[in-house]
Amino acid sequence: MSTDPRTLAPPAPAPEDAGHPRRWAILGLLVVSLIVTVLDNTVLNVALKTLADPVEGLGASQSDLAWMINSYTLVFAGLLFVCGVLGDRIGRKRMLVVGMVAFGLASLGSAFAQNPDQLIAGRALMGAGAAAMGPATLSLLRAVFSEREFPKALGIWSGAVGIGGALGPIVGGALLEEFWWGSVFLINVPIVALGLVAILWLVPESKGRQGRPDLVGMALSVVALVLITYGVIEAGDSGSWAGVEVWGTIAAGVAGLAGFVRWELRTPHASLDPRLFLDRRFASASALIALIFFAMLGLFFFMTFYIQLVRGLTPLQTGLMFLSFGAGMIVFSPLSSMFVKRFGTRAVGLAGLTLVGGVFLAIAQVGLDTPLWLIVVLMFLQSAGMANLMPPAMNVMMQSVPREQAGVASALSNTLRQVGGALGVAVLGTVMAQAYQSRIAEVAPELPEAARASLTATYGAVTEGAVPPEAAESLLAAANVAFVDAMHTTAYVSAAVALLGMIVVGRYFSGRPSRDDDGARAGADVSAVPAGERQAKMVR
C-alpha cells in the first residue's frame, strides 16, 4: 500500500467547482448592472406627479403616466425570453453590453423628451435594454460561481433588487427637489458608462448551447408575451376585464403560448423544453415567483399614492420611507441560503409567506392617521419575507437546468416576475378602482363621473377647479376615506394570494435537509440530480 501523502490527500476541486478567480468582483459589477434597471423604475414612480404638471413636467395625462410605466413593462416582458435564449447562443457578456448601451442611450433620450409620447418611446427602448441585461446578469452569475457558492451569490444578487428599490425613490426625490424631472433619467448615463468599461475589462464571456437557433419558437414567445401583457395592462388601465380589447388580446396571447409549447415539444432545436414544468419543484417555484410578485407589486404600487396623496409626503420623504424595504432585502437575502440549509425550503418559504401575508393583513388595518413609523416597520417585515422567498425559488429554477441553458432559466424567472407583477397591478388595480368608485359615489355623489375614476382623478378635479372651492376640502377628505377603504379591500385580496402561495410551498417544497446535504442541495434539492437524468425522468 502506498504511503505517498499525495495519494491520501483529498482530490483538488475541479475548476468548475472552484468558480472563477474574480467571481466576487464580477458579482459586484453584475449587481450594479441590475441595480440601475431596478432603480429607474422606482425613480419613475416618485416622478409621476411632477410629469403630470404642465409647467414643471410634460403635462402628462393619466393615460400617459400609465404608459410611461407600461411601455417599459410591455417591451421588457416581451423580449426577456428571447434575450435569454440569444445570450446563451451568442454570448451573455455580449448581450449584457448591448443591453447597457441601449439602456444608456434610451435614458439620455428620455431625459430630454419634449412631450409624453417621446418619453413613452424612450421608456420602451429602456425596457428592451433591460430585457437584454436581466437574463445575462443571472446566467453569468451561474457561469462564474460553483454550485456550492451559487445560492449565496444568488442571495446577494436578489438583495440588489432591494438596494435598487430603496435607492430609487431617495435618488429620485432628491433630484426632483433640486433639478428638473429629466435628471431622474440622466443619472443612469454615467453609471452605465462606468459599468460598461468595468464589464469589458473584467467579466469573461460565457456561452451556452450552440447550434441552429429556434427562430419560430422565439417569435411565438414574443407574440404571446406581448399580447398577454398588453391585455393585462389594458385591463388595469380601463378598470374592466369585459372589453374585447382586453379578453380578446389575452385569449390571442394564450393561443400563441399554446402554439409555442406545441412547437417546442416537436422541434429538435427547442429554446425551452416545456417538460421542465413536469418537475414539481420547478413548477412550484415558478408559481411562487408569479404569485408573490402579483400580490406585492399590485398592492405596493398603490401604497405610493397613499403616502404621497393621502398623507401628503414629498417624493424625497416617500423615498426615505421605502428605504426600509430595501434594508430588509439587503440584510436577509444573503442569509437565505443559510436558513434554507438549516431548516429546508419548506420551513423558510412558509415563514417568509407568513410575514408577507401578515403585512397584507396589517395594511388592511391602516387608517388616515396611522403612525408613519408603523408603515416603515411593515415595509421592512415585507422585504424580510420576500428575501427568504425569492432566492430559494430562483435557485430551484436555475439549478433545474444545465449551465448551458442558464440564460433560459434566468429569462423565465424574470418573465414570471414581470408578468406576475403586471397581472397584479391590473387585477388588484381593478379591485381597488371598483371599490374606490363605489365608495366615493356614496360619500361624494356630486363629483363628476370622470372625477370618481381614481384618487388622482379626484385630486385633479379639485386642483383644476372642477368643484366649488368651498367644497374642495370636504371632497378631498371624503376621497381619502374612500381610497383607504379600497386599499383595505385590495390588501385582503393580496393576503389571499399569499395564502395560496403557502399552499404551494407546503405541498411541493422540500422539508428539512439531512445532515449530509450541502448548501446547493438544501437550496434546491433538484440540483442533486444531474440535468440529463432529470430530463430523462421528466420525459418518462
Side-chain angles (χ1 to χ4, degrees), residues 21-153:
R22 294 180 293 184
R23 58 193 179 277
W24 295 107
I26 293 170
L27 171 61
L29 284 177
L30 297 178
V31 161
V32 171
S33 302
L34 177 66
I35 285 177
V36 72
T37 61
V38 178
L39 181 147
D40 179 76
N41 267 338
T42 51
V43 159
L44 183 63
N45 285 337
V46 299
L48 291 177
K49 186 177 179 181
T50 303
L51 288 167
D53 190 288
V55 178
E56 296 184 5
L58 295 176
S61 66
Q62 186 71 22
S63 176
D64 291 332
L65 294 176
W67 276 105
M68 287 172 190
I69 296 174
N70 296 337
S71 62
Y72 181 98
T73 302
L74 187 66
V75 175
F76 185 55
L79 295 182
L80 263 173
F81 181 76
V82 167
C83 288
V85 174
L86 289 176
D88 284 345
R89 293 182 181 275
I90 70 174
R92 292 135 182 178
K93 176 181 176 179
R94 183 175 287 112
M95 285 297 296
L96 179 58
V97 169
V98 169
M100 292 189 75
V101 170
F103 192 87
L105 292 175
S107 297
L108 183 62
S110 297
F112 295 100
Q114 300 299 306
N115 55 60
D117 289 341
Q118 290 181 9
L119 183 52
I120 290 170
R123 290 281 298 165
L125 183 56
M126 291 171 74
M133 293 164 63
T137 59
L138 190 51
S139 52
L140 281 169
L141 202 69
R142 175 84 188 276
V144 300
F145 277 91
S146 66
E147 297 289 341
R148 179 178 59 84
E149 289 182 324
F150 178 69
K152 182 179 180 181

Side-chain angles (χ1 to χ4, degrees), residues 274-461:
R275 286 180 287 261
L276 273 173
F277 288 94
L278 297 179
D279 184 317
R280 68 175 190 173
R281 292 186 179 89
F282 184 89
S284 60
S286 302
L288 179 63
I289 290 172
L291 285 171
I292 292 305
F293 273 82
F294 175 99
M296 188 194 73
L297 293 186
L299 182 64
F300 268 67
F301 175 78
F302 303 106
M303 285 297 293
T304 302
F305 294 99
Y306 168 80
I307 295 171
Q308 286 198 30
L309 293 179
V310 176
R311 303 304 298 267
L313 270 65
T314 66
L316 179 57
Q317 291 170 331
T318 303
L320 290 172
M321 286 195 65
F322 276 99
L323 183 62
S324 62
F325 185 86
M329 293 292 292
I330 295 169
V331 171
F332 289 102
S333 289
L335 299 176
S336 62
S337 62
M338 180 186 70
F339 293 149
V340 168
K341 183 177 180 180
R342 182 169 182 179
F343 302 109
T345 52
R346 182 185 300 136
V348 173
L350 289 175
L353 281 165
T354 299
L355 278 175
V356 170
V359 169
F360 288 144
L361 292 176
I363 291 175
Q365 313 306 316
V366 167
L368 295 172
D369 55 356
T370 298
L372 291 177
W373 65 263
L374 183 58
I375 306 296
V376 171
V377 171
L378 290 177
M379 290 182 180
F380 180 82
L381 293 176
Q382 178 84 315
S383 64
M386 288 286 296
N388 285 291
L389 286 172
M390 301 313 300
M394 293 178 68
N395 192 29
V396 168
M397 296 189 69
M398 294 299 294
Q399 299 279 16
S400 297
V401 300
R403 281 178 181 255
E404 61 268 20
Q405 296 185 46
V408 174
S410 171
L412 186 59
S413 66
N414 278 289
T415 300
L416 289 168
R417 289 166 60 178
Q418 286 297 313
V419 175
L423 192 60
V425 171
V427 173
L428 296 180
T430 302
V431 171
M432 172 163 277
Q434 292 179 348
Y436 176 80
Q437 291 162 12
S438 174
R439 180 63 174 152
I440 195 68
E442 295 175 2
V443 297
E446 68 275 18
L447 269 176
E449 184 176 352
R452 297 199 298 263
S454 65
L455 181 66
T456 54
T458 304
Y459 267 71

